[in-house]
């Protein structure tokens, strides 16, 4: 019931309302799907979500909840009132926590308007870090797939993963299980601090459902043109 069509999500990694509104004013007709993360949410609070929603944007609220099941359930119940389109949590919080999150997001009448996706391992976590720092001894791809399977079983709608993993996630968890993939750069652009980068076109062929794009759009000379290019390349239009 939560299947949305494929889309480009712009990561609004700004630290104030003023910055984000200045950025959004650069779009004439379009109302891009936006990701609001911790930085902006902690700076401006839930009001910024309401305001951006009023402007007609879909919102992915990227707060990555991870706590005891009861706390996550209650927090998700509060977030459900914001009626965002997508939110997330850490799969590492356990299956019980993920089930509690779904309960919290579900309205008293049994409907749930917000897609819930899980972060398996952060893109900044290497296998070495995972094994030596977190004492998770299995290979990284195995851990990612196991967490994705747990998320599906708990009733979640998908995972955040690298475009390189999107195909395997779909293979293991089905085509309806969403893959939301960051780490996107245009062909020919500087990779900046990302090790493994993928172009919008690559992400499409690898089976990503949503790509999350930050600096290539937010730091572009012409953000609207960069966004349109992204849409063209990702949706193949």
């Amino acid at each position: 019931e939560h299947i949305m069509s494929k889309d480009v999500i712009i990561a609004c990694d700004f630290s104030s309302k003023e910055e984000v509104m200045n950025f959004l004013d650069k779009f004439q007709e379009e109302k891009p799907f936006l990701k609001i993360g911790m930085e902006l949410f902690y700076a401006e609070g839930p009001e910024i979500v309401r305001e951006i929603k009023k402007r007609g944007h879909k919102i992915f609220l990227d707060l990555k909840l991870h706590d005891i099941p009861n706390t996550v359930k209650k927090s998700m119940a509060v977030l459900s009132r914001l009626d965002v389109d997508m939110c997330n949590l850490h799969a590492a919080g356990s299956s019980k926590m993920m089930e509690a999150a779904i309960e919290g997001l579900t309205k008293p009448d049994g409907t749930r308007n917000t897609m819930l996706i899980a972060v398996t391992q952060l893109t900044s976590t290497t296998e070495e870090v995972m094994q030596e720092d977190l004492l998770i001894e299995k290979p990284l791809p195995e851990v990612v797939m196991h967490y994705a399977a747990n998320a599906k079983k708990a009733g979640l709608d998908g995972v955040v993963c690298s475009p390189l993993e999107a195909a395997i996630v779909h293979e293991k968890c089905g085509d309806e299980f969403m893959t939301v993939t960051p780490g996107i750069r245009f062909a020919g652009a500087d990779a900046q601090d990302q090790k493994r980068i993928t172009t919008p076109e690559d992400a499409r062929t690898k089976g990503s459902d949503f790509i999350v794009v930050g600096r290539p759009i937010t730091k572009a000379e012409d953000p609207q043109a960069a966004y349109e290019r992204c849409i063209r390349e990702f949706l193949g239009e």
Side-chain angles (χ1 to χ4, degrees), residues 120-122 125-132 134-148 165 168 172 196:
T120 53
Q121 288 291 338
L122 293 169
T125 304
T126 60
E127 187 162 301
E128 186 187 20
V129 165
M130 192 184 73
Q131 294 179 351
E132 293 179 9
L134 308 179
L135 290 185
I136 298 170
E137 290 173 358
K138 305 273 186 201
L140 183 69
E142 195 183 319
V143 173
V144 167
M145 283 309 133
H146 182 69
Y147 284 15
E165 292 152 3
I168 327 167
K172 290 265 196 311
R196 306 186 303 170

Side-chain angles (χ1 to χ4, degrees), residues 122-128 162-164 182-185 189-199 215:
L122 293 169
T123 47
S124 55
T125 304
T126 60
E127 187 162 301
E128 186 187 20
S162 94
L164 307 166
I184 305 290
R185 294 285 181 274
D190 172 23
Q192 283 161 318
D193 55 5
Q194 297 275 5
K195 295 286 176 285
R196 306 186 303 170
I197 57 156
T198 314
T199 64
R215 286 171 288 191

